């Protein structure tokens, strides 16, 4: 009865009506055959790092579950899945899509090469896993940050006429990033990311609690945008939320959904075409029926704060960044055609 009353009141808001029915033609994307992200007995975690992460509820099983979850929107759950220059990053590869463009791939490659007993041993393994493109990928020009022109030119030549990496370099990068030694390197870099996430959460939520929802949300924010908003921005937002008249509570949230809906339909937003209409309908349904709690409300506002500063390709991915995190916050959403959850109306 209470939910029906809330829904009736909220329907008075001047917003478009939600569509509760799902598209019967919907079919989720099919993951490619690959080595899938998950725990392996050969992979090790430093005890000191394990102790740090345990403070926010991340044991070994939870760490690998977060890795798997991170990899779903990045690589459809694969350890490698290399892609080319579609987003101006030259090459993106690995479960967190490390790339040359932002300088995140270079240290991963460097650490893998240093993990061998000698340079000769590393060269032999490079020749085995990447006989055609290995010298280019590990060249000084490609390991520089930013990469130098000769590296950029060589990588772009390795793209086909369709703008995608050619099958040879794709195969070599897949072999490299699915190798046991590289899996350990990827894990080590992800653990470093989780340590940064722990710092983000302690800073933004000093009084706690640090929930699983917040951890998952903060991980995605750091993977995509390097971390949560500054303490100054968080404080300003909270002051405004605290001073907001109660009658504006749901209208302000709906304005964020309207922003997402509008920006998703503009000409230069990509990666969102299969998702945004379904998302808007489902999220507004959750709002209309009182299924958004105070923690979710605050996280959605912080998500909006951070998503509107996604500047890659002049803001081309702002709608996508919002949808990824809103899906985590609400437990309902579609990202890259993969739908989870739904708004249940009782």
């Amino acid at each position: 009865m209470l939910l029906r009353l809330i829904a009736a009141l909220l329907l008075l808001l001047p917003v478009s009506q939600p569509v509760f029915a799902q598209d019967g033609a919907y079919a989720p994307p099919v993951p490619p055959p690959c080595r899938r992200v998950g725990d392996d007995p050969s992979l090790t975690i430093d005890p000191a790092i394990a102790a740090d992460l345990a403070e926010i509820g991340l044991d070994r099983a939870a760490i690998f579950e977060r890795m798997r979850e991170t990899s779903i929107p990045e690589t459809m759950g694969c350890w490698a899945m290399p892609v080319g220059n579609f987003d101006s990053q030259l090459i993106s590869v690995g479960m967190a899509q490390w790339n040359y463009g932002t300088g995140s791939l270079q240290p991963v490659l460097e650490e893998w090469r240093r993990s061998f007993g000698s340079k000769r041993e590393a060269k032999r393994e490079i020749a085995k896993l990447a006989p055609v493109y290995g010298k280019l990928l590990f060249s000084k020009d490609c390991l520089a940050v930013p990469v130098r022109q000769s590296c950029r030119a060589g990588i772009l030549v390795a793209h086909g006429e369709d703008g995608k990496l050619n099958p040879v370099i794709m195969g070599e990068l897949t072999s490299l990033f699915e190798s046991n030694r590289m899996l350990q390197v990827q894990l080590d870099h992800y653990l470093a990311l989780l340590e940064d996430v722990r710092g983000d959460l302690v800073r933004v939520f000093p009084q706690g609690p640090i929930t699983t929802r917040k951890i998952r949300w903060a991980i995605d924010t750091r993977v995509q945008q390097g971390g949560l908003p500054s303490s100054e921005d968080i404080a300003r937002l909270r002051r405004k939320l605290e001073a907001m008249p109660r009658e504006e509570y749901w209208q302000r949230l709906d304005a964020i959904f309207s922003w997402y809906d509008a920006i998703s339909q503009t000409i230069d937003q990509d990666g969102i075409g299969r998702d945004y209409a379904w998302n808007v309908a489902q999220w507004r349904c959750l709002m209309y029926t009182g299924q958004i709690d105070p923690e979710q409300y605050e996280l959605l506002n912080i998500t909006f704060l951070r998503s509107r500063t996604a500047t890659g390709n002049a803001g081309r991915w702002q709608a996508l960044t919002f949808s990824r995190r809103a899906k985590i916050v609400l437990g309902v959403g579609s990202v890259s055609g993969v739908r989870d959850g739904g708004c249940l109306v009782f």
Side-chain angles (χ1 to χ4, degrees):
M1 183 66 182
L2 178 59
L3 288 181
R4 291 183 184 277
L5 178 60
I6 293 172
L9 291 172
L10 290 173
L11 283 172
L12 297 176
L13 290 173
V15 298
S16 58
Q17 298 301 306
V19 179
F20 301 130
Q22 295 188 17
D23 179 6
Y26 166 71
V30 178
C34 65
R35 188 169 184 180
R36 307 201 66 78
V37 174
D39 198 352
D40 186 288
S42 67
L43 299 174
T44 61
I45 298 176
D46 182 273
I49 294 176
D52 280 347
L53 297 179
E55 293 179 2
I56 58 170
L58 292 175
D59 59 12
R60 184 180 178 97
I63 288 168
F64 280 98
E65 177 56 26
R66 297 288 76 78
M67 289 186 76
R68 187 198 66 79
E69 184 177 64
T70 296
S71 72
I72 295 300
E74 298 290 345
T75 63
M76 297 185 75
C78 300
W79 278 107
M81 198 173 175
V83 295
N85 196 44
F86 77 97
D87 57 355
S88 305
Q89 305 304 325
L90 285 182
I91 287 176
S92 300
V93 62
M95 53 77 52
Q97 288 290 272
W98 293 286
N99 59 77
Y100 278 128
T102 64
S104 58
L105 177 57
Q106 292 90 321
V108 173
L109 295 174
E110 286 270 29
E111 186 174 326
W112 179 85
R113 189 169 63 176
R114 287 197 306 268
S115 70
F116 290 89
S118 66
K119 290 183 178 180
R120 180 176 296 179
E121 186 181 355
K123 287 182 178 180
R124 282 199 300 265
E125 193 66 11
I126 292 171
K128 174 184 171 183
L129 296 173
V132 177
Y133 288 98
K135 287 185 179 180
L136 174 64
L137 296 171
F138 287 90
S139 66
K140 289 183 179 180
D141 287 351
C142 280
L143 293 179
V145 180
V147 298
R148 300 186 181 120
Q149 184 55 39
S150 64
C151 171
R152 177 175 293 276
I155 295 297
L156 291 178
V157 168
H159 286 67
E161 293 182 0
D162 58 0
K164 299 179 181 179
L165 293 173
N166 70 47
V168 175
I169 194 171
M170 281 191 68
E172 292 186 354
L173 283 166
T174 298
S175 296
L176 174 61
F177 273 78
E178 287 187 349
S179 66
N180 289 339
R181 190 180 293 265
M182 184 58 91
L183 261 59
Q184 181 64 55
V185 172
Q186 292 194 63
L187 171 60
D188 290 343
H189 277 260
Y190 193 77
L191 291 170
L193 180 143
L194 290 181
E195 289 272 53
D196 290 336
V197 165
R198 176 176 171 270
D200 284 340
L201 290 169
V202 169
R203 172 176 63 84
V204 175
F205 304 101
Q207 307 304 318
I210 305 300
T211 62
T212 300
R213 177 193 288 157
K214 287 176 179 173
I215 293 170
R216 295 170 59 220
W217 166 80
I219 289 171
D220 192 79
T221 307
R222 181 157 282 277
V223 167
Q224 277 207 307
Q225 289 189 265
L228 298 180
S230 70
S231 297
E232 179 182 356
D233 289 337
I234 293 289
R236 183 186 71 251
L237 175 64
R238 284 181 171 151
R239 285 194 301 269
K240 290 184 174 182
L241 289 175
E242 289 171 4
M244 181 176 61
R246 187 64 187 176
E247 59 269 22
E248 295 181 10
Y249 192 82
W250 295 113
Q251 290 177 348
R252 294 290 192 177
L253 180 59
D254 189 71
I256 293 177
F257 294 155
S258 294
W259 167 85
Y260 168 77
D261 188 22
I263 196 173
S264 295
Q265 298 180 64
T266 59
I267 193 64
D268 198 39
Q269 288 296 300
D270 286 337
I272 201 71
R274 292 174 292 175
D275 306 311
Y276 76 89
W278 191 84
N279 283 340
V280 171
Q282 297 300 312
W283 297 341
R284 279 183 166 150
C285 172
L286 294 175
M287 183 183 70
Y288 291 149
T289 53
Q291 298 182 64
I292 297 178
D293 64 33
E295 178 180 279
Q296 291 171 313
Y297 191 96
E298 181 182 51
L299 293 182
L300 286 170
N301 275 274
I302 299 175
T303 296
F304 170 64
L305 192 68
R306 194 72 176 106
S307 296
R308 71 190 192 200
T309 64
T311 57
N313 289 158
R316 180 184 174 190
W317 311 103
Q318 288 181 356
L320 178 59
T321 61
F322 183 83
S323 61
R324 282 177 54 154
R325 270 159 250 163
K327 178 178 179 177
I328 292 171
V329 170
L330 296 172
V332 174
S334 179
V335 174
S336 300
V338 179
R339 295 178 181 176
D340 287 321
C343 178
L344 301 177
V345 182
F346 301 99

